[in-house]
Amino acid sequence: MLTRRYLTTVVAVFYAGYPLTAAAPVQWDSPSQKIEIGRNFSYYEDTAKNKTIAQVSAGEFAGNFVDSTTDTLNFGQTNNDYWLKVTFERKSDAPRSRVLEIDQSNIDIVEFYAPVAVGKFEVQAAGMLYPFGARQIKNRNFVFAIELAPGEQKTFYIRARTCGGLILPFVFWDKETFTDYNANVQHGLGFYYGIMLVMILYNLFIYFSVRDVSYFYYVCYITGLLWLQLVLTGHGFQYIWPNGTWLQRNSYILSSNFMLASVLMFSKRFLNTKELVPRLDKAFKITIGFLTFLFFTPLVLSPEITTKATLAVTIPPVVMVLAAAIIAFVKKYRPARFFLLAFTVLQLAGIIVVLKFTNVLGSNVFTDYGLYFGSALEVVLLSIALADRINIMKTEKEEAQRKTLEMQKILTESYARFVPRDFLANLGKDSILDVKLGDQIQKNMAILFSDIRSFTTLSENMTPEENFNFINSYLGRMSPIIQRHGGFIDKFIGDAIMALFQKSVVDAVGAGVEMQLYLKEYNAYRTGKGYKPIEIGIGVHTGSLMLGTIGAEDRLEGTVISDTVNLASRIETLTKVYGSRIAVSETTILEIKPLQKFHFRFLDRVTVKGKTKPVGVYEIIDGDEEKTRELKLKTMDDYMQAVKAFHERRFADARAAFARVLRVNPGDRPSLIYESRLAAS
């Protein structure tokens, strides 16, 4: 037992100072500022994922390590632990600082073991499973300081594991050179991010301006691409979500699926695949659905599964988009020109990067950053493609508008004679062609009803032709009056007019007054032609109403539906009862009273048909004949006292006041009605 312990100790001491494999040690004193040292590493695959540093650093374990034969260690898709070791040797005492960089950002676990004594190591843990702040050297990649004393040789160990492809490009840097290089990379990537953000904001602004959903899909695509690049470069983890370990581990799945689904939706819309390539269009829909499903899988599945699933579906969408673009271009779909050019540029950039990783092409600015150049150029070209598409659509639209404008103008003018423009405006429609069954809007408006008294008796003495001529002559004179006061005629109901006023109830009352005053002139004209004069009654009410369309799909009619409409009609019929020319509701009086523009008096409280509560009705006397108006104004005080006394049930006072009114104005119909009521009481 003692002999075995002694031998173990001797072996551990021996191997602690010398490399344990045939891989050559890295020379600290090399004049190169940057050395790719992948071939200086040895590695061991821990399929059971249960080895410890004590086990793998033991002398008897050295035979399990395999020397690397490539500058970049690529272990492919794996979930296993990989132990790596490398030996550094320093001979001179020249002052110098060195760092080891793993030129990779997305690895779940990277544990760096630096020897501090025989069989003892100091460990630095980093990776996507740890907050970014846990790193000793704050860098988007994994960077570790290598410290050696002159004449010293040390072997360092690394344990790495990830849920996707494990690629480990090891670079040994002079620290000052690395700092300068990293600053240049930061500036370059910052410029790239700036281009992407500008393209996002620019196209988002255009989307809100033109409301073309293609721009929205394109903004989603650029956002997804930028998100993916922030994940791949490590800057997202470094600056945006440094404590979001779950987000960092799953952002590749989220950003990739979001980006691919967005580019498919954008391509589907931009290339009009539904018409140009219908078979591919169906494939687009299915793939978009599957990518959307994959987007949510990180909520329930582990990255080991979701990462591989995402990688498996990365290529098909790219091929589908390229195929759709080629087919659209061959079919002479003009917008496909810039689109195809943009995606060709991106494909070429991707091929260059792949050729670099397969060692076909060497490392240079184009192979190292070709994907950034390609994607930036692609988004710019696609923005040009969108602008070109908008210009094409604009030209086609202008041509179509030019051909149809004259016909539409004719149709609009024709329909306007049946449907008032104000009716369309209230519905928020520019043309009768925009009106659909069920269009409706609720508004507060004034309603004017007018009706010719004893029209039935008049019409009986006229032929059908004379009836039409009479009605058209009358309506043709009254319509302009309504329009001058800001109203529009909703409908003609035989000899009756129903008009709407949306600005002010004063307009409606003013129109009614002018209609009654003009009637005197019209009657003089009729008398000169040998026709009998006519009388009209006008009722006005204001309130909330529903204005819209009713009917069936093949037969529509604009109308107004409301209790307000019914009440206005009932008030108009009361003009016959009270001998008034214009009757209005109490609601109308409340609006016009402060303006002191019209003379009015209270008529009665009436329970009209369809109402359970009495409605206050007033008479506007400005439209009366001059003599009648003067008599009503002269008796106004006595009349108002009489009406007030009657409704307060002071009947004796009411009789006396009404008697005074009738002595001056014997034909005052409301006073006569009240007097008959008093006689019956």
Side-chain angles (χ1 to χ4, degrees), residues 62-346:
N64 293 310
F65 279 87
V66 178
D67 293 340
S68 170
T69 58
T70 59
D71 292 328
T72 299
L73 284 77
N74 188 342
F75 300 110
Q77 295 297 311
T78 178
N79 297 324
N80 295 329
D81 282 2
Y82 278 84
W83 287 90
L84 304 105
K85 65 178 181 177
V86 63
T87 300
F88 294 93
E89 182 179 30
R90 180 177 181 181
K91 296 178 180 179
S92 72
D93 57 357
R96 198 175 189 183
S97 297
R98 290 276 196 168
V99 293
L100 172 66
E101 178 196 23
I102 303 176
D103 191 9
Q104 177 64 268
S105 304
N106 294 276
I107 304 175
D108 287 344
I109 297 174
V110 175
E111 293 176 350
F112 180 76
Y113 294 88
V116 293
V118 176
K120 293 185 178 181
F121 295 86
E122 180 184 70
V123 61
Q124 298 178 35
M128 295 190 293
L129 285 175
Y130 302 93
F132 188 86
R135 303 183 186 190
Q136 290 189 8
I137 297 179
K138 304 297 186 290
N139 191 273
R140 64 190 182 90
N141 291 333
F142 301 97
V143 181
F144 306 99
I146 304 297
E147 299 177 354
L148 291 178
E152 191 175 25
Q153 185 182 80
K154 286 184 179 180
T155 299
F156 296 79
Y157 289 83
I158 296 173
R159 181 172 78 94
R161 183 209 303 166
T162 197
C163 59
L166 184 60
I167 302 174
L168 301 171
F170 289 102
V171 185
F172 191 48
W173 288 90
D174 177 83
K175 187 175 182 180
E176 186 175 344
T177 304
F178 173 74
T179 301
D180 293 339
Y181 167 80
N182 186 62
N184 291 333
V185 170
Q186 295 282 82
H187 294 153
L189 289 176
F191 181 70
Y192 170 79
Y193 299 146
I195 291 175
M196 301 297 278
L197 285 172
V198 167
M199 288 294 100
I200 289 173
L201 294 175
Y202 168 71
N203 286 283
L204 192 61
F205 173 77
I206 295 179
Y207 165 68
F208 285 118
S209 299
V210 303
R211 295 293 178 179
D212 185 342
V213 75
S214 298
Y215 279 95
F216 176 74
Y217 291 148
Y218 183 50
V219 167
C220 290
Y221 165 59
I222 305 175
T223 303
L225 182 59
L226 176 59
W227 184 6
L228 178 62
Q229 295 290 19
L230 286 169
V231 173
L232 296 178
T233 60
H235 279 135
F237 195 32
Q238 183 176 4
Y239 295 115
I240 303 177
W241 54 85
N243 296 314
T245 54
W246 182 91
L247 182 60
Q248 179 62 14
R249 287 195 79 199
N250 292 284
S251 273
Y252 173 76
I253 296 97
L254 297 172
S255 60
S256 292
N257 288 303
F258 180 78
M259 179 194 70
L260 291 171
S262 298
V263 77
L264 285 176
M265 288 189 289
F266 168 64
S267 304
K268 185 175 180 294
R269 174 83 176 186
F270 186 92
L271 296 173
N272 194 17
T273 56
K274 188 174 182 179
E275 293 184 11
L276 296 176
V277 277
R279 291 185 180 179
L280 266 179
D281 185 74
K282 293 179 181 178
F284 272 42
K285 291 179 181 178
I286 295 171
T287 308
I288 290 169
F290 186 66
L291 290 169
T292 304
F293 167 75
L294 283 180
F295 180 85
F296 292 100
T297 53
L299 297 174
V300 293
L301 299 175
S302 68
E304 286 78 5
I305 299 172
T306 55
T307 300
K308 291 177 175 58
T310 299
L311 288 170
V313 299
T314 299
I315 302 300
V318 177
V319 175
M320 289 163 60
V321 170
L322 196 58
I326 292 172
I327 294 171
F329 180 75
V330 170
K331 290 186 175 182
K332 301 187 183 303
Y333 183 60
R334 184 179 163 186
R337 298 173 303 159
F338 285 108
F339 187 95
L340 182 59
L341 177 61
F343 270 90
T344 301
V345 168
L346 184 63

Side-chain angles (χ1 to χ4, degrees), residues 19-33:
L20 301 178
T21 69
V26 179
Q27 296 302 313
W28 172 283
D29 308 293
S30 171
S32 299
Q33 306 295 312

Side-chain angles (χ1 to χ4, degrees), residues 512-574:
V513 170
E514 186 175 345
M515 288 169 69
Q516 290 288 4
L517 295 177
Y518 178 77
L519 187 64
K520 182 178 180 181
E521 181 181 335
Y522 180 57
N523 279 333
Y525 166 80
R526 285 181 57 81
T527 302
K529 293 290 184 178
Y531 299 118
K532 292 182 179 180
I534 62 171
E535 293 182 358
I536 63 172
I538 295 174
V540 178
H541 179 50
T542 182
S544 178
L545 53 81
M546 291 296 296
L547 185 145
T549 57
I550 61 172
E553 287 293 343
D554 57 349
R555 177 68 174 89
L556 302 180
E557 179 181 339
T559 191
V560 176
I561 300 175
S562 171
D563 180 58
T564 303
V565 178
N566 297 330
L567 184 54
S569 175
R570 305 299 181 200
I571 289 173
E572 188 277 322
T573 61
L574 291 175

